[in-house]
Amino acid sequence: MSERVIPLVDQRLQTLSARLPAQPIPTTGLLNDALGRPLRDLRISVTDRCNFRCNYCMPKEVFDKNYTYLPHSALLTFEEITRLTQVFIAHGVRKVRLTGGEPLLRKNLETLVEQLAALRTLNGQPLDLTLTTNGSLLKRKAATLKAAGLQRVTVSLDGLDDAVFRRMNDVDFPVADVLEGIAAAQSAGLGPIKVNMVVKRGTNDDQILPMARHFRGSGIVLRFIEYMDVGATNGWRMDEVLPSAEVIQRLQQEWPLVPLEPAAPGETAERWGYAGPDGRHDPSLGEVGVISSVTQAFCRDCNRARLSTEGRLYLCLFAHQGHDLRSLLRGGASDAELASAIGAIWQGRRDRYSELRAFLPPENSGQGRRRIEMSYIGG
Ligand code: SAM
Ligand code: SF4
Ligand code: SF4
């Protein structure tokens, strides 16, 4: 195996100050970026810490006891997050996903959920409010989160074999506890639940069929995610990516699958339904999804903005710089000023990294370029 170079860099240092544009930008809900893409989906990272060390995200060699996490004073408060979310809603956001790090490590997260659940979109509807978690604390927190107004959860689980899973989370965490978390979320009514599995060739691709077998017909939607070249620390290599097309092929050797329409515009997953004896989708058997961020770019419809734990706005998962909204917030900006600043940033957005990846010179693609970490900005 070739030697891996894991650069030790702090991606958080690259910040752009968020400026107020000369002309105010009104909140019409019709904001488009430079490529005509609306702003609909906001992913909010509530912590940069995690109790797992998944080797594709927070490898132990980098995120060790000497790693410096953000101090508490740097984090956006719940009030600051809620205020910014309101401004994003005014620009057209309808869906909010809480993420991290591990979001359930953020103290009193249910208080933030309550505040966000009280907001209304421009159509007067509650937000589509969801959370991505590694499931380790879900058993304890599912009922409280539901009572606070959380609608759904996505749980990450990279295999059913205990040894494989413990190796991947690298903190010896057992599968059984995550499955109990998923069951608790199901009985709390946090559905439809999605389970995300990152597939690394040679590491957990033998878990594709057991995972599908386990979740088929359970009401839970299993989604296979291509291992991505996010960040600069996971030693990503293309030969460890198992293309989604191959995942579908493997599944089809066991069960007939039929393609389904996307559930919403800009949806990242391609959906496939398990077919019944008549060859048509049988809803009682459910569906699977594949997220092909590497082999099939979906930037054209990307309507997602990402807010980091300390209030930087990132326009792409593969961005290498963020726009500092916290300074504006803490500097006394009005809601209209915040809206203008966010509006101007979004209008200037041209990001489409996944579409360009194959054409970039090696120093600007794969792990060659300094970029934010997934554990910092969330999925
Ligand atoms: N800790 C939570 C969790 O694991 O669900 C939330 C944050 S985690 C960064 C969000 C999602 O990103 C998870 O589903 C994780 O599997 C995925 N992820 C992290 N690094 C990835 C990579 N290199 N390629 C693909 N997915 C990745
Ligand atoms: Fe933690 Fe999630 Fe990253 Fe795994 S994928 S290290 S659980 S933040
Ligand atoms: Fe969106 Fe960037 Fe991913 Fe393309 S690469 S889909 S622009 S986050």
Side-chain angles (χ1 to χ4, degrees):
M1 196 160 76
S2 65
E3 194 180 322
R4 292 184 180 195
V5 179
I6 298 183
L8 290 165
V9 288
D10 190 341
Q11 310 297 331
R12 296 169 304 196
L13 295 176
Q14 303 184 334
T15 316
L16 296 171
S17 54
R19 290 178 203 290
L20 294 179
Q23 296 293 323
I25 298 179
T27 50
T28 56
L30 301 172
L31 187 69
N32 274 342
D33 74 6
L35 303 179
R37 299 169 295 186
L39 172 54
R40 293 280 178 263
D41 182 333
L42 178 64
R43 304 191 169 193
I44 304 174
S45 172
V46 292
T47 178
D48 58 342
R49 291 163 198 259
C50 188
N51 53 344
F52 282 15
R53 287 293 175 273
C54 307
N55 48 28
Y56 53 73
C57 177
M58 293 182 82
K60 251 183 184 162
E61 312 85 77
V62 178
F63 296 87
D64 60 9
K65 61 181 187 335
N66 298 320
Y67 186 82
T68 322
Y69 295 93
L70 295 168
H72 193 73
S73 60
L75 273 49
L76 291 187
T77 64
F78 292 165
E79 286 65 31
E80 287 172 330
I81 293 175
T82 306
R83 186 167 165 224
L84 277 178
T85 305
Q86 227 160 348
V87 176
F88 277 99
I89 287 176
H91 275 311
V93 161
R94 297 172 190 163
K95 177 173 171 185
V96 166
R97 176 178 298 280
L98 299 177
T99 179
E102 173 46 43
L104 298 186
L105 289 181
R106 179 86 184 248
K107 250 202 198 144
N108 304 322
L109 188 72
E110 53 284 1
T111 307
L112 174 64
V113 169
E114 246 170 51
Q115 292 177 9
L116 296 175
L119 301 179
R120 291 293 172 267
T121 65
L122 294 175
N123 305 330
Q125 301 297 315
L127 281 170
D128 179 2
L129 186 55
T130 176
L131 172 144
T132 303
T133 172
N134 63 24
S136 59
L137 301 169
L138 201 48
K139 188 178 169 194
R140 232 185 294 161
K141 303 208 169 182
T144 323
L145 289 166
K146 175 69 186 177
L150 189 70
Q151 291 168 358
R152 300 182 285 117
V153 288
T154 298
V155 182
S156 306
L157 178 62
D158 294 332
L160 272 188
D161 181 282
D162 202 47
V164 171
F165 182 62
R166 283 177 194 254
R167 243 195 329 274
M168 284 192 82
N169 64 55
D170 215 8
V171 292
D172 217 24
F173 198 86
V175 170
D177 290 20
V178 178
L179 293 177
E180 281 185 16
I182 293 173
Q186 236 178 343
S187 38
L190 284 170
I193 296 172
K194 291 177 184 151
V195 168
N196 280 353
M197 169 177 168
V198 174
V199 182
K200 261 182 105 173
R201 194 196 287 276
T203 302
N204 67 336
D205 59 319
D206 63 343
Q207 295 300 299
I208 294 172
L209 290 177
M211 286 281 283
R213 220 167 275 135
H214 183 85
F215 290 109
R216 186 170 177 263
S218 68
I220 290 171
V221 179
L222 174 62
R223 302 181 321 164
F224 300 95
I225 305 183
E226 285 178 351
Y227 170 42
M228 287 186 286
D229 50 335
V230 277
T233 57
N234 64 8
W236 183 87
R237 294 196 326 232
M238 187 64 199
D239 60 4
E240 288 182 320
V241 177
L242 188 89
S244 294
E246 208 175 314
V247 172
I248 295 297
Q249 256 174 22
R250 289 195 196 183
L251 295 173
Q252 275 180 322
Q253 281 167 11
E254 194 119 341
W255 308 281
L257 290 172
V258 289
L260 301 178
E261 290 295 316
E267 193 184 41
T268 48
E270 181 186 296
R271 300 168 62 212
W272 291 80
Y274 289 108
D278 61 358
R280 294 215 297 251
H281 177 218
D282 176 351
S284 73
L285 297 174
E287 63 181 76
V288 288
V290 285
I291 301 183
S292 321
S293 341
V294 178
T295 59
Q296 245 189 321
F298 39 76
C299 302
R300 200 151 310 150
D301 299 321
C302 181
N303 53 19
R304 293 178 290 282
R306 295 178 157 84
L307 183 63
S308 77
T309 315
E310 90 284 45
R312 290 181 191 160
L313 173 60
Y314 287 87
L315 302 175
C316 175
L317 193 50
F318 298 91
H320 53 99
Q321 47 198 8
H323 303 258
D324 178 17
L325 298 180
R326 192 188 61 193
S327 298
L328 282 182
L329 264 178
R330 296 191 180 169
S334 66
D335 284 357
E337 286 171 333
L338 287 171
S340 285
I342 292 169
I345 295 166
W346 190 261
Q347 282 178 341
R349 177 181 187 247
R350 297 188 160 274
D351 303 59
R352 52 190 191 104
Y353 173 81
S354 285
E355 281 181 359
L356 301 176
R357 178 192 283 108
F359 308 105
L360 293 172
E363 66 274 18
N364 278 340
S365 64
Q367 294 273 291
R369 186 171 183 184
R370 296 184 66 172
R371 281 198 298 258
I372 46 166
E373 293 298 328
M374 194 82 163
S375 55
Y376 168 67
I377 199 66

